[in-house]
Amino acid sequence: MNADLFPRPRTEIAPGAVHVPDWLDADRQRELVEACREWSRPPAGLRTVRTPGGGTMTARQVCLGWHWYPYAYVRTVVDGDGTPVKPFPEWLGELGRRAVRDALGAEAAPYDIALINFYDGDARMGMHRDSDEKSDAPVVSLSLGDTCVFRFGNTETRTRPYTDVELRSGDLFVFGGPSRLAYHGVPRVQAGTAPPELGLTGRLNITLRVSGL
Ligand SMILES: O=C(O)CCC(=O)C(=O)O
């Protein structure tokens, strides 16, 4: 049986956390992948993030607007080539505000940060909270390429209760309100599941945030 025969409904995973399948059409996905390729080029391009404990994140990252490194936002790539972070484009902010309208029926403050994570090989992301922003505006997450398991948990612990959601290329996930500081992560990416016409090997995730800075 082919899962695509069944429509995937919009689902509220937790209060304020909504999954909207197939939110981006194929053309928009291609445009975003192309934009990510540009943003990934040096200077201030895709880099490996080192954690204070001496580890490295397996997903590589590039930032727009504000540069995130564990655990602060700054304007230059202090943990990389030292150059200024790339600007955050207005059109991406508009996309974010439209996402919040569609997912939550609400207006969000202007977005000014994008963190773009690239997952290839065995890359994944551990359970964490997005808590370095000084704003409670919803986080907008756009998925491109390979399907992943996105684990969406609770605000108290990294462990259960959580819900595993399959995020496919073009899906939108928004979390705000009581879920804004929920733990979440990506335990698994299913290699080779990206739509072939996208021309992407691996998975890209774009999260949009409001810095409040
Ligand atoms: O890749 C994803 O879907 C999640 C990314 C994420 O959790 C983050 O950027 O904080």
Side-chain angles (χ1 to χ4, degrees):
M1 229 174 343
N2 182 346
D4 288 331
L5 292 175
F6 300 98
R8 295 181 302 144
R10 171 193 183 280
T11 307
E12 186 171 43
I13 303 297
V18 174
H19 175 211
V20 187
D22 304 314
W23 189 70
L24 297 163
D25 67 22
D27 285 345
R28 201 58 163 150
Q29 290 180 51
R30 265 195 300 272
E31 284 166 17
L32 282 169
V33 168
E34 197 40 52
C36 288
R37 276 193 223 287
E38 285 301 317
W39 295 326
S40 296
R41 291 191 219 304
L46 198 68
R47 80 196 197 291
T48 299
V49 181
R50 289 172 210 291
T51 53
T56 52
M57 282 172 51
T58 50
R60 283 174 288 159
Q61 191 176 84
V62 58
C63 310
L64 308 176
W66 285 90
H67 177 78
W68 179 81
Y69 73 106
Y71 296 96
Y73 283 105
V74 288
R75 289 291 197 183
T76 53
V77 186
V78 288
D79 59 342
D81 63 11
T83 57
V85 66
K86 290 189 167 90
F88 180 90
E90 211 172 299
W91 62 265
L92 194 55
E94 268 317 301
L95 190 68
R97 285 161 65 83
R98 189 156 62 78
V100 172
R101 258 179 245 129
D102 287 358
L104 304 179
E107 288 301 321
Y111 286 90
D112 60 350
I113 300 171
L115 301 192
I116 296 144
N117 293 300
F118 177 59
Y119 299 77
D120 62 354
D122 285 331
R124 65 195 76 188
M125 193 173 287
M127 294 295 275
H128 65 281
R129 300 194 299 175
D130 297 347
S131 57
D132 295 324
E133 301 79 24
K134 308 283 179 242
S135 160
D136 61 4
V139 173
V140 170
S141 156
L142 301 168
S143 290
L144 300 163
D146 283 343
T147 298
C148 79
V149 175
F150 180 64
R151 183 160 290 172
F152 196 77
N154 61 85
T155 54
E156 304 302 320
T157 72
R158 286 187 161 78
T159 56
R160 289 178 193 277
Y162 53 67
T163 305
D164 282 349
V165 182
E166 189 181 80
L167 293 184
R168 297 190 201 162
S169 196
D171 285 7
L172 164 67
F173 196 98
V174 176
F175 52 102
S179 289
R180 173 62 181 78
L181 290 177
Y183 283 92
H184 58 278
V186 176
R188 198 159 58 251
V189 177
Q190 295 162 13
T193 51
E197 64 279 7
L198 197 57
L200 174 66
T201 303
R203 172 173 187 265
L204 282 165
N205 175 259
I206 304 175
T207 63
L208 308 179
R209 303 142 188 240
V210 176
S211 70
L213 295 167

